[in-house]
Amino acid sequence: MEKLPKAGLFAIIAVVLLVIIVLKSSVVIESGQAGVLFKTLDNGVDRENTYGEGFHIIAPWNDMIIYPVRQLSVSDKMRVLSVNGLEVTVDGTVWYQPEYNKLPYLHQEKGREYESQILAPAISAAARSVVGRYTPEQLYSSKRDVIQNEILDEVQRELSSQYIQVNRVLVEDVTLPPKIKSAIERKLEQEQEALEYEFRLARATKEAQRQKIDAEGKAVANKILSASLTDKILMEKGIEATLKLAESENSKVVVVGGGNGGGLPIILGNQ
């Protein structure tokens, strides 16, 4: 009778230990995540394998470290100097993600704080390097796309051996000192007014040229026409007009060869 309670107690302990082992050995990696296996009784980090989404069974004395591997973003405002030494504030966002197949190396060499220890300093250095090549006017007006691409190129080059993939850099805003901003806006406004004036002047010049060409063409045509209108041609045209008038039903008197018109007909009584 005394053995039965002891056997039951051992059975309960065995079941509890089994449950603990199963729970400790079971790992679920969610969507957008990946795992790095740390082998406590072996060589530490398993550098050969990156464990993907789903259910995994591991030895209870090992540990699975889970990382997000979908695209992530980090935003920051950085104070940097332009080429002429003026301080500007760059507000930007960087899209990045760890390299999936290199995740064990990232964990072993950089650790879980790689964003603050590796990524952020690289972004800051690239932004300072690129912005330092341009004047405040270029930063404010037309160079934003170029700056984005140059920062992206520099960050990718800096992190090429750091197991971090940078996908895009977006410069959302460039803030200049108020006096510099006002001066640039006035200059841009004056440039727009000058361009508008040049456009109106060019349009007026083209219109004047068109009118001159048109007038010259009409003058040449009139000169040619005047040179070709001989007395015989005028008489022939007059006869043609007389024949057409004679065919008309309106009552009239046509005198041929009268007046000082060089033999042209005179029309009387046209009603």
Side-chain angles (χ1 to χ4, degrees), residues 6-22:
K6 291 182 179 181
L9 180 60
F10 288 140
I12 294 173
I13 293 174
V15 170
V16 171
L17 290 175
L18 180 61
V19 170
I20 293 174
I21 292 173
V22 171

Side-chain angles (χ1 to χ4, degrees), residues 91-215:
D91 187 359
T93 298
V94 176
W95 283 270
Y96 71 97
Q97 59 194 117
E99 294 183 11
Y100 183 87
N101 293 328
K102 298 294 183 179
L103 191 60
Y105 294 87
L106 177 67
H107 175 71
Q108 187 177 51
E109 297 179 20
K110 314 302 175 184
R112 298 184 65 88
E113 304 299 324
Y114 72 91
E115 296 96 335
S116 60
Q117 296 182 5
I118 305 297
L119 179 65
I123 295 171
S124 180
R128 284 176 168 79
S129 174
V130 172
V131 173
R133 304 169 190 167
Y134 296 98
T135 65
E137 184 176 355
Q138 291 172 325
L139 297 172
Y140 182 76
S141 57
S142 59
K143 292 293 184 178
R144 189 166 300 181
D145 291 341
V146 176
I147 292 169
Q148 291 180 169
N149 293 333
E150 290 185 359
I151 293 176
L152 176 61
D153 291 341
E154 290 217 9
V155 173
Q156 288 177 335
R157 184 166 55 252
E158 180 67 25
L159 298 178
S160 61
S161 60
Q162 304 297 321
Y163 320 118
I164 304 170
Q165 175 182 319
V166 178
N167 300 325
R168 187 183 177 191
V169 172
L170 176 62
V171 175
E172 299 167 353
D173 191 21
V174 176
T175 304
L176 305 177
K179 290 184 178 179
I180 301 298
K181 181 179 178 181
S182 298
I184 292 174
E185 289 176 346
R186 285 196 301 270
K187 181 180 179 182
L188 292 175
E189 183 178 353
Q190 292 171 357
E191 289 177 351
Q192 290 298 321
E193 291 176 353
L195 290 174
E196 184 179 358
Y197 174 77
E198 291 178 2
F199 172 76
R200 292 199 302 267
L201 182 61
R203 186 173 61 181
T205 301
K206 289 182 180 180
E207 178 63 18
Q209 291 175 348
R210 186 194 66 77
Q211 293 178 359
K212 180 181 178 182
I213 294 172
D214 187 48

Side-chain angles (χ1 to χ4, degrees), residues 70-85:
R70 61 165 58 95
Q71 181 170 266
L72 306 169
S73 67
V74 57
S75 299
D76 194 11
K77 288 186 178 182
M78 295 169 286
R79 292 185 177 182
V80 295
L81 299 180
S82 64
V83 70
N84 52 5

